[in-house]
Each structure stands twice: as structure tokens, then as C-alpha cells.
Amino acid sequence: MNSVLVRKYNQPVPRYTSYPTVPFWTDNIDIDRWEQVFKNKFEEQNAQNGISLYLHLPFCESLCTYCGCNKKITTNHKVEEEYLEAIEKEWLIYRRLMKQTPIIRELHIGGGTPTFFSPGNLQRLLKVILKNSIKHPRHEFSIEGHPNNTTKEHLKILYNLGFRRISYGVQDNNHDVQRIINRIQPFENVKNTTEMARAIGFTSINFDLIYGLPLQKLESIERTINQTIELKPDRIAFYSYAHVPWTSKAQRLFNESHLPSAEEKISLYLRGKELLIKNGYVDIGMDHFALPNDELYKAVIERKLHRNFMGYTTSCTRFMLGLGVSSISDTGNAFAQNNKTLHEYYESVGDNRMAVRKGFFLSEEDEDFRKYILDIICNGEVLFLQKHLPLLEQYCFPRLEELEKDGLVVWDRNGLRVTAQGHHFLRNICSSFDLYIQRTETEKKNVFSKAI
Ligand code: SF4
């Protein structure tokens, strides 16, 4: 890839897992309005497609220093009980707003480390959620598993409840890298837990890998990818490490001089990509690869790919309820994020109140520009609505001229197509349509991670 372009576009830009992006949300969301929007959209979407649920289980036994998730580090498993009581209660608070029985089409358990919880406790939580709900006939249930603590019992219980997808955080198999990120995870563990999941009947296995970690070298990426290929996960998310030490304090635990430069980082990505493609994986879009028989690839072909807080998905619903500390709900026309600290989360739910704190209600213009960004990031092309021409001319077209000169897009007043080279800079292209950034010229440094 052209190193001049890498340097030019390696600017802080959002990852566009939402639009408007989180820094533009309001801090104290109007809860009555949120309840009303929730009720209306639930009725509409539940009947049409069913809904998606996200359950956030925040505990981890040890701190990975690269981590930017909302998590709580503890080895005390007594915390499971209090947390389960709270999340079950939060579900009942939302259940009271639902006039129809919820039809659960998608359910994803993320963290933290969901497999920190005992198999029995996971079963208890899921039984509460699924009781008095309808499982959609084509439901898709998935969970994030830690290779170090996912047991056969976890997998069996989840399988029996309808889970067929599991995503393992692998990151990098090199011991020096694992030591500096404080995540010692022998390849044997990854292998065993992958084989166990397959033997039990899981049909879609995802690995998360990261490039750009401290001490990562071409050889360690090659080894990690080659070992990954041996296990043939159906999907691979090959993420760029986001260095944001101003929000993730743990990232201050290693020295920045251990990080690869932007050029080295892009070489790590390109080498990884080359190996994956050579071994039958298809490049889905920003950081995601899949085998051709995987649903994610089929979604690309059928132009049904979607992007949300979990990255690219095949999601068929446009209504996501997030439960648990820091979880985000998305009704299509509003976002709401729960309290970020356990203390505040327990307090709200304990008082039978919604735990939502931060959020955003989208205007019609926001919804249209959200669709532009989703079309670019998922399909690599977009058609403009003629009613937006004055806005596009003012804020977006000048940026597109520059992107076109660099060979990243082809466009006219009707629409835009991303070029092969442009696929490496999707975040930058999307930011041209981010009216919040374009209008305010926000100081993006120390808000978003760099594009590469
Ligand atoms: S990377 Fe995962 S396991 Fe590690 S601290 Fe973050 S949430 Fe926990």
C-alpha cells in the first residue's frame, strides 16, 4: 500500500459502529422520551423481524493491557450473584414496556469475559431471559469465549439453549507479545476449546486477532495466522489495535516505543491479509474475513451486511436492546447507553429505574446520513438523496474531491463507489459524511483512535 497515503490518512477517525458517534451523544438522556421511543419501535420491529439482545457480563480475572472494553477485574466469583440479580431485574424493567411477547432473533453475550461466569449461572440468566419470550425459528445466539476458561460444560449448556456461534479472543500467539499485553494464552488452549466447540455442535467459530500490538513483528503475525488457519475458524476479525491511552489507562502500562510504526503496522496487516486470502478466506470489509460458506460472506453477496457495536454482523433486526453495565441499545432512531460504573448501575436497577445515562435521538437527517455511512462501510457504495445536495455540496463534496485525487473513491452528484485502494481507508471515507465532525471541525485528537 502507498506509504504516502498511509501517512496522510492515519488521522484520528471514528470506527463508525454508530452514527452519530458516541462523543456526540448527550450525557443525560431524557428517560421518558427514551421509554416512549423504545415502546413504539419495539412494537413495530418485534412483529416484523424479532429483536436482538446484547448482554454485557463485565468481569475478567486479569487485566489485558491493550483492552479498551468496559470491564471489572476480580478473582472473586461471588460477584456473579449480585450482577445476575441486577441484569435479570433490568430485563424485567424493559419487559414491562413490551406489550407483545418478545421474539428473540439474535442474542449475543459479550464482556468482559462471559465465561468468567459459571455454566450454571449462565444457564440461570438465559432461562430468565428466555422464559416468556419466543425464540425466533431462525434465531442466532452467540457468545464471546475466553480460550483459557471456556469449559466443556459451558459449551454444552449454551448449545442446549440454542447457541451455535462462539467467538474466541486469540489476539496473538507469540509469548513475548502475550507477556507484554498480560494475556498468557497457550495455543493449546485455543486449539482445545475450538475443537471442543466443534465436537459439541457449534457451527460458526470466530477468532479475534489484533495487529499493531506492542512487540508484534512480521514473524509473530505469520505464526499466529498460520496457526489460526490450521484450526479453520469460519470467521476472523483481524482488528487494528486502537491506542487510546487517554481513555484506557491500562494501555499506559506498556511503553509506546514498543508499538510498531504506522508503516510497520500496515505491513503486519497486509501480510496477515495475504496469508488469509491465500488460504481461502474472503476479505469482507474493514478488518473482517470469512470462509466462503460462512453467513457473513453470504451477507456481503446478498448486500445484507450490517455494522453495529459488535462490528460487522449478518443482523436482520434493526432493534437491539443492551442489558448490563455500559451496554448500548439501538432502536434505529435512538441510542441509549447504560451507566458505566457498577455502583451506578446497581443503584438504578435496584431502585427499579432504567439504568440508561447517555444517548442520542436521531433526526431524519441523522438517519439518512447514518444510512450513507452504513452503505459505504458495508457495501462500498452509496446513492445520494437529491434532497441532500445542498448539504453534500457544503460539507461532503470538497472532501470527496480530495479522496478521488488520491484514488480512494469514484463519485458524482448521484453517488459514490469505494475503489480497491479506498477499502483500506473506509473510516476516512465515512468521516466525509459525518456531519457532526464536518460541521464542528471537532478536535479529533484524543477522541478517536488513528485510522491505521
Ligand atoms: S481483553 Fe477481554 S479478557 Fe482482557 S481485560 Fe479486556 S475484556 Fe477482559
Side-chain angles (χ1 to χ4, degrees), residues 60 62-64 66-67 69 71 73 111-113 146 183:
C60 303
S62 64
L63 175 67
C64 310
Y66 64 88
C67 176
C69 303
K71 71 273 172 190
I73 309 299
T113 306
H146 196 307
R183 188 179 173 115

Side-chain angles (χ1 to χ4, degrees), residues 194 198 204-207 227-236 281 289-291:
T194 301
R198 284 230 172 86
S204 179
I205 295 177
N206 175 79
F207 281 9
Q227 286 181 320
T228 294
I229 288 164
E230 265 175 48
L231 302 179
K232 273 230 166 304
D234 305 84
R235 294 178 191 180
I236 296 168
Y281 285 88
F289 296 83
L291 289 174

Side-chain angles (χ1 to χ4, degrees), residues 56-64 66-77 79-80 110-117 144 146 149 182-183 342:
H56 188 76
L57 304 185
F59 303 110
C60 303
E61 287 203 343
S62 64
L63 175 67
C64 310
Y66 64 88
C67 176
C69 303
N70 185 297
K71 71 273 172 190
K72 178 89 186 154
I73 309 299
T74 178
T75 50
N76 174 11
H77 283 259
V79 295
E80 293 180 35
T113 306
T115 44
F116 172 98
F117 283 71
E144 289 162 20
H146 196 307
N149 66 9
N182 195 37
R183 188 179 173 115
L342 274 175

